[in-house]
Amino acid sequence: ASKGPDRLQFLDQEDLLEAAMSSGLYQPQGQRGGRGGYAPDRIFNDFPVNVALPFVPGITRHVLLVDDDLLFARSLRPCELFSASPAYQLRLFAHPRGIGESKGNSETSDAYSAVFASAMRHTARLWFKLAATEQAEEAVRNRPGPYYEPYHAPQVLDVATLRDLWRRVPGELSATLDGAMRHPTMTDIIGLHHSELVERGRRARRRRAENITEGTDSDANFTSAQAWPVDLREFS
């Protein structure tokens, strides 16, 4: 990697993938079987780069992800990524979809789009499975919220949540990191991240409402760790 002036730092893709592979969470292809065996130097798609983001050396807790093919027609201020009314909330640029829901026939109009759409469906199924398992462990009766498929837009990410997803589904994310080209069973960690934050926010608000009903609510019980997902706002 080479370092530019001031705060600008360039990190080679191979170095990033190697950092993820040495993290202790990565499962080698020989251990998990199936697809893979191409990282770190034979990767030709952006899904592996996205799943490796939490392993960027010295990364901050919150980051802004902007794809290299995204153009800004005007200046963008950080405050535009949040709303000010009725409360300060993170703007989530994503499309909510329920179980089995599709965004329409246009997403399968060509082979490339069909592969991408299949990866989104695969990730959505993984998310609903994760959410259902966690709710069963916590004895939560409410049905999990929708899966949030990211738009092609700037995305604010919570790195701690990305790392938590690695701990929960290391095999899925390892297979995605190790995939040379996009394929139908890749996992989109950005969509998992958005869906997880929304679901945590729903659970936190529900617990807070229950505490208020029981008369046990207190600001001292409302931690900063809860405040991030609670302030999430969804845009569809």
Side-chain angles (χ1 to χ4, degrees), residues 11-14 16-17 20 40 43-56 59 65-67 157 162 166 173 176-179 186-187 189-190:
L11 182 64
D12 292 335
Q13 174 177 298
E14 291 77 11
L16 174 57
L17 297 182
I43 300 299
F44 307 99
N45 73 101
D46 59 342
F47 276 56
V49 175
N50 287 344
V51 301
L53 286 176
F55 306 107
V56 172
I59 193 170
L65 175 65
V66 182
D67 291 334
L157 304 175
L162 295 176
W166 262 97
L173 297 181
T176 295
L177 184 142
D178 207 12
M186 273 191 157
T187 299
I189 195 172
I190 308 303

Side-chain angles (χ1 to χ4, degrees), residues 205-218:
R205 288 193 297 271
R206 187 163 54 242
R207 286 194 297 268
R208 187 171 174 83
E210 292 171 352
N211 289 339
I212 291 175
T213 301
E214 296 172 0
T216 60
D217 181 63
S218 170

Side-chain angles (χ1 to χ4, degrees), residues 66-159:
V66 182
D67 291 334
D68 59 2
D69 59 348
L70 188 63
L71 301 177
F72 292 89
R74 59 175 179 81
S75 60
L76 178 70
R77 298 173 299 169
C79 61
E80 294 185 62
L81 299 172
F82 299 83
S83 64
S85 178
Y88 291 103
Q89 299 172 313
L90 170 66
R91 294 194 181 201
L92 174 61
F93 300 100
H95 169 78
R97 63 161 66 188
I99 299 176
E101 179 187 347
S102 173
K103 288 174 65 176
N105 295 330
S106 60
E107 65 180 359
T108 57
S109 59
D110 58 79
Y112 180 86
S113 298
V115 170
F116 183 82
S118 180
M120 294 301 100
R121 288 192 295 269
H122 171 78
T123 306
R125 286 192 293 268
L126 174 61
W127 157 248
F128 288 120
K129 180 179 178 181
L130 276 175
T133 299
E134 186 166 327
Q135 291 209 345
E137 292 174 351
E138 296 184 2
V140 176
R141 293 187 297 272
N142 300 74
R143 182 178 180 180
Y147 168 74
Y148 285 81
E149 180 178 325
Y151 286 134
H152 191 61
Q155 306 289 351
V156 180
L157 304 175
D158 176 47
V159 174

